[in-house]
């Protein structure tokens, strides 16, 4: 992964942005430490709700919301929470925000809530959120924690969207519910089935691996 | 002439003389009559379909080898088998572009990612077929009738559907004996089944031709006869028992034996050496497992046919079967149980 | 859904709607500990065990929450209960059977963040299962999880010695195999109905 | 055709066989009817001091010394060693390193035969049947006798019953399951008196009460002949066993004749049996009454590359080049094996001489050898699993060997039980050199074990 930064061309693109450390906190989650494609975290929602682009985005933003909020709270309370019960407290904080999100989504769109089902509640056990709380927010101040959460969340959204879009496009011939191809397009039903989730994620990871391979060869 | 440098090899200096390529070629020979009968029954449709899947499998194998910088393994003939078998599991009027895709998936997903010949955990043709089944459930269950009079005067329109487009079907389409039984309660006669006078996948229609191919391979020791024998006897036994208990609900044993993909699956698919267990006890357990799963899925499942799923599931179990059925090593007292 | 037979609940949880292969629950341990058969079996056992216990707890809590009319506390109390159950089970097993603890020890803490456990509690509540039904559902889910894990372990152990391409090694091939297994499990659809 | 024949035999005698095994073409018809003939003396014989398993013998002659046929050239160096006797009457030309089949040069003697010398064998001190078991064993050692079947294990060590064990059954190995070889067959037909006498010596030495001679069913004539000749007071039972490779392996023969298995890692004596090769028995009967040392042995010179195939009585130390010049070869020779084609070793150099363990020389000419087949991946056809006489899993072992998991092979897949019979490689359609893998793996495992445990001796 580090080759990406060392690569001279990439560097020129990143240099200006990466001047300040806080920009880096934000950027790393999107590409270098992408929670899904690089860290392979939070797989359940990645696979379960990415059968359409809309679900994927909704799930992504819901997760990002919980991620940002819990990071904020954890970074603010990091000196208050006793070390022994910190994990339990993090889980409580996360569970609270997930419950809020759950009710909020129900209020915004019942259909969406239905199609995401129990997976909204399952954000609680998304290892991404707990790992950011423990690994970053508990050791950093407010601003970097927010940036880190936003970056990771955005990276998560991007990953979910790239899966959801591909699966919906092939599996249903549409994007956000709008038909893209001609009426006669033959849907690949497998893509919106569970197996399609496994295959699509594998495909994206494979692409990442091939890219990595190419770059390390090119060096 | 005693001064020439001698050739050094390690013992044993004799080999039986049968090569892996010989085995693969002979499987192809055994499949050719099945393919021929399919063309006879379904006309040009079957010919184009089988040619497409075979070509697609071979091309995929070749390009994947090139892509990973290895010498091409097309020469071992295993891709031809995969292609032919895949074609035989598809309906005769299956759109060619889907069939081509199936060949790519069979070799790419079913074989290449596992490390090529000798490493595939599942039967590659069935992996291809399973993906196609899940992707295009309508196309793969739209059957055309066998021995249609104009089968040698052109091809079905669905066959030539444009890539990525839905096929349009000619008026005539036949149900398979299994789906006719499952959904309409109609029982097809044994004679029609044995000689493939029925609708169904391209290669599965005539049990006799398939059995002949199996016998040929078994006689040349290129096919483990224990597998088809244990599958078929399990299916026979259980369906006979159920038929005895309640002849109204459950079909006769011979109907179960000769309908659907059972013969093709038992003789040519389940016997894929790479994906089946090694030990003599292991293959029997494997066969019985497949037979049981077929009966369970056909009788109680939501699908009319379960051969493909049964074999794929048994493939997944076969490493474990191997593990618990290791031969007792000479001079040791207990069965070796490897962790 | 009162007319679901126990048999159907079991088949559905273990095979048709397998937690791993159809609901993607417990993917992290599925990817993580499916490399060796030995650990896979133990992990499966531990998960099944915890599922049974937390299913009982969840049933009780749900009844309580409905009684005091505070369903919004559902998620929070579930996660707290599961986390503490795992802790209790860990301590209990350590006391009662050191051998079992040695076998399951390192897996128990991991289970806290296993979404299959929370998923099970949520699903059984959503489906409105009674006590016995919940237990059968938990047993089926646990066995289904173990089955998926064990099948994957067998295949992956064979792959250790295979010449699979470098770019697919690791997570990619595991996901691909999971996909194929998921397709194979589709054969069970409609069973037990 | 051959397979059919043997399967009928198997059918008639279902019980007296071992599991699995293979049926390679026998190629014995070319030589099994040819009587043993004395081979001429080579002008120079080369005698390595390491012709047996164990410590090489110690040379006691000096360069230029004249020796008589049968005279001691080198004496045993310890218990796991046997002496070496002069195979011809002649003069020690040189004491120097000589080439051996393993490719190593070992200390040895170049012995020039004297033309016109009488070549009578000198006699030593008789070891009578009345001697004690220890005296017989020592007589066997002094005669320089080793297992003539191929392993060249010192016979007196093999016949020594360890303390706390006892021998019920003496098994004579007249199986000769290697294709092409017919020496034991001819010995059984021509040296029955030596064999019977040898049996008496060995019975005395081991204390065995029963003697079973196992003969493969393709040598029925030898079995019938010996049956008709057995002296009334000799408790010898001659039994036919099915034609199947590797029937001649000690463990397999015990299972076929006694119906028991030698425990993994154990020896025949663990099932109260001792196995000895039939030609070795004949040699004991021939040499001990005269106190002589071994100076020649019966060797089958055969293979499609040989003109005058046959069973010859050849002085130990005769160079292969001399032998092949005498019998004549067809065209250009390409491969020469010492021993049979299944377990024998390919020869790189015709200056190597035949030793006490050489049971046959098989020659293939250029035109008889098909091009080496490329290796394919293992397709798990299970042919090897069905062939392995020890019920090992060669397929799995081969995959593990390729991945260098040697410890796993030894601990969980019984690698060390493999005795390299070659059945798995013979049947493998993918031409995976399984036996070669196992040979290498075994030596690595042995080295690792030796490193772990500092030597006790």
């Amino acid at each position: 992964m580090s080759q990406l930064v060392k690569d001279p061309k990439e560097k020129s693109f990143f240099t200006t942005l990466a001047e300040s450390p806080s920009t880096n906190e934000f950027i790393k989650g999107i590409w270098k430490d992408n929670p899904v494609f690089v860290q392979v975290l939070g797989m359940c929602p990645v696979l379960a709700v990415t059968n359409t682009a809309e679900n994927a985005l909704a799930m992504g933003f819901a997760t990002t919301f919980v991620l940002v909020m819990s990071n904020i709270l954890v970074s603010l309370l990091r000196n208050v929470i006793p070390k022994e019960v910190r994990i339990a407290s993090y889980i409580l904080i996360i569970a609270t925000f997930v419950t809020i999100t759950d009710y909020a989504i129900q209020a915004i769109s019942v259909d969406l809530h239905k199609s995401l089902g129990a997976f909204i509640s399952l954000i609680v056990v998304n290892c991404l959120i707990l790992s950011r709380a423990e690994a970053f927010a508990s050791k950093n101040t407010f601003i970097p924690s927010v940036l880190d959460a936003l970056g990771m969340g955005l990276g998560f959204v991007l990953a979910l969207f790239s899966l959801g879009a591909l699966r919906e496009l092939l599996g249903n011939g549409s994007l956000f519910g709008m038909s893209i191809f001609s009426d006669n397009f033959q849907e690949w039903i497998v893509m919106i089935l569970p197996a399609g989730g496994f295959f699509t994620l594998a495909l994206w990871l494979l692409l990442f691996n091939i890219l990595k391979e190419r770059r390390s060869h090119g060096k | 002439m005693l001064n020439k440098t001698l050739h050094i090899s390690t013992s044993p200096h004799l080999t039986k003389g049968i090569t892996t390529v010989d085995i693969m070629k002979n499987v192809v020979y055994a499949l050719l009559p099945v393919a021929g009968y399919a063309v006879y029954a379904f006309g040009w449709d079957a010919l184009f379909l089988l040619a497409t899947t075979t070509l697609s499998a071979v091309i995929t194998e070749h390009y994947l080898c090139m892509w990973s910088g290895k010498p091409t393994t097309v020469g071992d003939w295993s891709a031809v088998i995969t292609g032919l078998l895949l074609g035989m599991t598809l309906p005769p009027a299956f759109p060619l572009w889907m069939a081509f895709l199936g060949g790519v998936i069979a070799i790419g997903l079913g074989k290449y990612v596992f490390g090529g010949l000798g490493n595939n955990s599942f039967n590659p043709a069935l992996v291809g077929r399973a993906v196609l089944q899940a992707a295009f459930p309508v196309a793969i269950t739209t059957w055309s009738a066998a021995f249609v009079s104009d089968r040698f005067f052109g091809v079905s329109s669905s066959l030539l559907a444009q890539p990525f487009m839905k096929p349009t079907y000619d008026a005539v389409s036949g149900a398979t004996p299994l789906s006719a039984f499952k959904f309409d309660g109609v029982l097809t006669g044994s004679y029609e089944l044995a000689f493939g006078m029925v609708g169904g996948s391209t290669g599965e229609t005539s049990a006799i031709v398939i059995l002949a191919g199996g016998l040929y391979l078994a006689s040349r020791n290129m096919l483990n006869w224990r597998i088809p024998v244990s599958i078929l006897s399990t299916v026979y036994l259980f369906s006979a028992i159920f038929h005895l208990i309640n002849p109204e609900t459950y079909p006769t044993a011979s109907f179960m034996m000769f309908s659907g993909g059972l013969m093709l699956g038992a003789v040519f698919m389940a016997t894929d050496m790479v994906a089946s267990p090694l030990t003599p006890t292991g293959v029997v357990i494997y066969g019985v497992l497949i037979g049981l799963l077929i009966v369970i899925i056909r009788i109680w499942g939501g699908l009319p046919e379960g051969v493909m799923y049964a074999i794929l599931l048994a493939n997944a179990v076969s490493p474990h079967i191997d593990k618990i059925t290791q031969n007792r090593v000479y001079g040791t007292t207990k069965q070796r149980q490897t962790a | 859904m009162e007319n679901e037979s126990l048999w159907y609940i079991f088949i559905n949880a273990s095979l048709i709607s397998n937690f791993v292969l159809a609901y993607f629950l417990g993917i992290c341990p599925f990817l993580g500990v499916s490399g060796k058969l030995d650990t896979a079996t133990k992990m499966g056992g531990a998960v099944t065990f915890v599922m049974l216990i937390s299913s009982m707890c969840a049933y009780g809590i749900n009844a309580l929450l409905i009684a005091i009319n505070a369903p919004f506390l559902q998620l929070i109390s579930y996660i707290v209960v599961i986390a503490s159950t795992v802790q209790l089970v860990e301590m209990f097993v350590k006391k009662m059977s050191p051998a079992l603890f040695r076998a399951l020890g390192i897996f128990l803490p991991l289970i806290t963040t296993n979404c299959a456990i929370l998923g099970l509690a949520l699903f059984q509540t959503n489906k409105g299962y009674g006590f016995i039904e919940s237990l059968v559902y938990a047993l089926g889910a646990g066995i289904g999880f173990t089955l998926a894990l064990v099948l994957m372990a067998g295949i992956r152990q064979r792959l250790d010695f295979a010449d699979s391409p470098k770019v697919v090694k690791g997570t990619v091939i595991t996901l691909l195999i999971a996909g194929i297994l998921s397709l194979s499990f589709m054969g069970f659809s409609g069973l037990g109905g | 055709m051959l397979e059919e024949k043997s399967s009928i035999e198997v059918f008639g005698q279902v019980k007296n066989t071992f599991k699995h095994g293979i049926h390679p073409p026998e190629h014995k018809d070319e030589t099994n009817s040819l009587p043993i003939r004395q081979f001429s003396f080579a002008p120079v014989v080369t005698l390595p001091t390491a012709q047996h398993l164990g410590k090489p013998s110690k040379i006691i002659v000096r360069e230029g010394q004249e020796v008589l046929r049968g005279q001691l050239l080198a004496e045993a160096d310890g218990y796991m060693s046997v002496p070496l006797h002069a195979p011809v009457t002649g003069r020690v030309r040189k004491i120097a390193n000589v080439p051996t089949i393993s490719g190593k040069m070992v200390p040895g003697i170049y012995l020039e035969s004297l033309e016109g010398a009488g070549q009578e064998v000198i006699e030593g001190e008789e070891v009578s049947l009345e001697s004690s078991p220890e005296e017989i064993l020592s007589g066997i050692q002094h005669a320089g006798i080793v297992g003539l079947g191929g392993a060249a294990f010192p016979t007196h060590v093999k016949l020594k019953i360890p303390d706390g064990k006892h021998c019920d059954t003496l098994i004579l190995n007249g199986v000769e399951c290697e294709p092409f070889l017919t020496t034991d067959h001819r010995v059984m037909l021509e040296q029955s008196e030596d064999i019977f006498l040898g049996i008496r010596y060995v019975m005395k030495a081991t204390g065995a009460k029963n003697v079973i001679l196992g003969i493969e069913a393709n040598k029925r004539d030898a079995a019938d002949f010996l049956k008709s000749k057995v002296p009334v007071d000799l408790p010898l039972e001659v039994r036919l066993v099915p034609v199947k490779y590797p029937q001649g392996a000690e463990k397999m023969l015990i299972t076929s004749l006694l119906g028991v298995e030698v425990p993994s890692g154990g020896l025949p004596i663990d099932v109260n049996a001792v196995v000895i090769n039939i030609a070795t028995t004949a040699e004991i009967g021939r040499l001990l009454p005269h106190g002589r040392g071994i100076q020649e042995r019966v060797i089958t010179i055969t293979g499609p590359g040989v003109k005058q195939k046959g069973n010859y009585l050849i002085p130990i130390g005769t160079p292969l080049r001399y032998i092949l010049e005498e019998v004549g070869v067809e065209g250009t020779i390409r491969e020469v094996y010492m021993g049979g084609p299944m377990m024998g070793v390919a020869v790189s150099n015709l200056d190597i001489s035949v030793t006490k363990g050489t049971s046959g020389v098989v020659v293939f000419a250029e035109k008889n050898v098909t091009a080496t087949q490329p290796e394919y991946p293992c397709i798990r056809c299970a042919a090897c699993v069905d062939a392995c006489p020890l019920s090992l899993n060669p397929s799995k072992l081969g995959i593990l060997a390729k991945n260098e998991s040697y410890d796993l092979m030894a601990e969980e897949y019984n690698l060390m039980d493999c005795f390299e019979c070659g059945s798995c490689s013979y049947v493998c359609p993918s031409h995976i050199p399984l036996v070669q893998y196992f040979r290498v793996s075994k030596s690595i495992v042995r080295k690792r074990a030796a490193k772990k445990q500092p030597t006790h001796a």
Side-chain angles (χ1 to χ4, degrees), chain B residues 3-4 7-13 16 18-21 117-118 273-274 276 278 322 326 328 330-331 336, chain D residues 251 255 261-262 264 332 334-335 337 341-342 344 376 378-380 390-391 412 414 426 429-430 436 439:
Chain B
N3 293 321
K4 199 168 179 266
H7 181 250
I8 301 290
S9 58
T10 57
S11 68
H13 308 286
K16 203 172 179 187
I18 294 174
T19 67
T20 297
V21 178
L117 179 64
M273 291 164 170
V274 183
S276 56
L278 269 178
D322 252 349
Q326 284 293 306
R328 184 186 61 82
Y330 179 95
R336 260 220 170 259
Chain D
K251 288 180 172 184
T255 304
E261 291 183 0
V262 181
S264 165
T332 314
R334 182 166 162 84
E335 291 189 7
Y337 318 123
M342 292 304 291
Y376 282 94
C378 170
I379 54 166
R380 294 164 52 84
L390 295 179
S391 301
E412 289 183 11
N414 293 56
Y426 172 79
S430 287
Q436 183 60 14
R439 227 174 258 144

Side-chain angles (χ1 to χ4, degrees), chain D residues 133-287:
Chain D
E134 284 68 34
E135 284 167 343
I136 294 176
L137 289 179
S138 135
I140 290 173
Q141 181 179 17
H142 282 125
I145 295 171
V146 297
L148 299 184
F153 190 83
T155 303
H156 66 280
V157 180
K158 188 168 184 172
L159 296 181
K160 170 81 186 156
I161 310 298
D163 292 337
K165 308 257 179 186
H166 69 103
C167 168
D168 285 338
T169 316
L170 175 69
I171 292 178
L172 300 180
N173 189 344
V175 173
E176 200 166 45
C177 57
E178 275 273 5
F180 286 104
L181 304 190
T182 53
T183 58
D184 291 353
H185 190 175
R186 290 317 303 179
V187 166
M188 286 191 284
L189 283 172
E190 297 178 35
Q191 302 177 358
S192 58
E193 290 315 312
D194 293 338
I195 290 174
F196 296 141
L197 193 53
I199 292 174
R200 290 179 202 272
Y201 277 109
V202 178
M203 281 177 75
K204 188 82 196 273
T206 57
K209 294 283 166 282
N210 310 307
V211 188
I212 307 175
L213 167 58
I215 299 179
E216 241 184 357
N218 56 3
K219 292 179 271 290
R220 193 181 285 274
D221 54 341
D224 292 342
F225 173 74
L226 286 175
K227 260 185 212 165
S228 68
K229 291 275 178 186
V230 182
V232 275
D233 61 328
L234 196 66
L236 172 68
E237 186 193 342
V238 180
R239 264 206 245 161
L240 283 181
V241 289
V243 182
K244 192 160 79 164
Y245 182 86
Q247 181 73 71
E250 236 172 41
K251 288 180 172 184
M252 306 299 102
L253 187 59
I254 287 176
T255 304
S256 294
L257 295 177
L258 303 180
V260 294
E261 291 183 0
V262 181
S264 165
L267 292 170
I269 194 66
D270 293 325
V271 292
N272 304 325
V274 165
V275 183
I276 180 168
N277 171 266
I278 192 73
T280 314
T281 316
E283 206 66 8
I284 291 172
R286 194 164 70 87
L287 298 175

